[in-house]
Structure formats: structure tokens, C-alpha cells
Amino acid sequence: MIAAPSKSANQHRDEDHMPWIAACAEDAIDKEDVWGWDHGGRSFAIFRSPNDEFFCTDGLCTHEQVELSDGLVLDYVIECPKHNGQFDYRTGEAKRSPACENLRTYPVRREDGQILVLVE
């Protein structure tokens, strides 16, 4: 499944001309879990939903830049391990304070047992 990216109506993404980056193997992430991944000096978090879909967000909490891969995943929510802020990892929406700024999301696809992420 492809996770819908966070973007405004004025943004345009030419996915055919941008590189998909292999992040991990599908079986590296259990259902309702998260995998931390660094690329290009940035941190990302890849999630596997209860329905076996994959999603990718920025890897650091927008509140205090804590690694979300150390957090707790319940259904479609990641809880930050430091102050318990929560985000819907499908949309990046901040759901519980102290997190009040949304996470950026990235398109994800499966290919030959790998999880690929479109990182701009």
C-alpha cells in the first residue's frame, strides 16, 4: 500500500522521476510495530499497521526530537517514549499533547520483499 504524503494542494510530486530508497525488508517489521531508519542525515520511522500496510514518517518527535522508533505503537498511533505525545502515523497528525506539530509523511511501496520509501 502507498501511504499518502502530507502535502498542500499547491505542492506537486513527480514520483516517476524521484528515487525510491530501499529502507528494510518487509519481515523486519512486525504488525503494529515501528522500524527506525536513517538516510541522508535524516531519521525516519516505518510502521506496519494491523492491516499489513506500511507507512513512513519523520523519525523524530516534533516536540523534543526524540526517536519515535523507541515509542509504543497501538493500532495506527505512535506514542513518543519521552512525553507520551501521540501521532497518527498514516497522516502524521499530532493527536495528543505535548506534540502539537504534525509529522511529515512519505510514500511507501513494497517491492520484492523490500520496503521502499520516496524521500525528497
Side-chain angles (χ1 to χ4, degrees):
M1 293 260 38
I2 296 178
S6 296
K7 59 184 178 181
S8 72
N10 295 330
Q11 288 180 310
H12 174 65
R13 229 184 255 249
D14 187 0
E15 294 179 4
D16 293 334
H17 295 94
M18 297 176 75
W20 288 84
I21 309 298
C24 64
E26 280 185 49
D27 60 6
I29 310 171
D30 293 328
K31 285 185 181 180
E32 291 189 83
D33 206 357
V34 58
W35 173 273
W37 173 63
D38 294 326
H39 176 74
R42 294 167 52 198
S43 179
F44 300 90
I46 301 173
F47 303 89
R48 190 172 193 165
S49 77
N51 294 330
D52 206 28
E53 300 169 296
F54 290 85
F55 299 86
C56 183
T57 69
D58 283 330
L60 300 176
C61 178
T62 58
H63 172 240
E64 282 200 10
Q65 303 300 301
V66 174
E67 290 283 344
L68 291 173
S69 61
D70 293 331
L72 177 66
V73 177
L74 294 170
D75 292 324
Y76 296 98
V77 172
I78 177 69
E79 184 175 87
C80 177
K82 188 166 185 177
H83 294 118
N84 305 103
Q86 292 184 347
F87 302 90
D88 182 326
Y89 60 76
R90 298 169 296 181
T91 63
E93 181 183 359
K95 302 295 273 182
R96 185 168 77 188
S97 65
C100 57
E101 183 180 333
N102 295 343
L103 293 169
R104 187 170 179 188
T105 61
Y106 302 89
V108 175
R109 74 178 185 201
R110 295 172 165 177
E111 188 173 293
D112 299 324
Q114 294 291 308
I115 301 302
L116 305 176
V117 178
L118 185 62
V119 178
E120 347 180 323

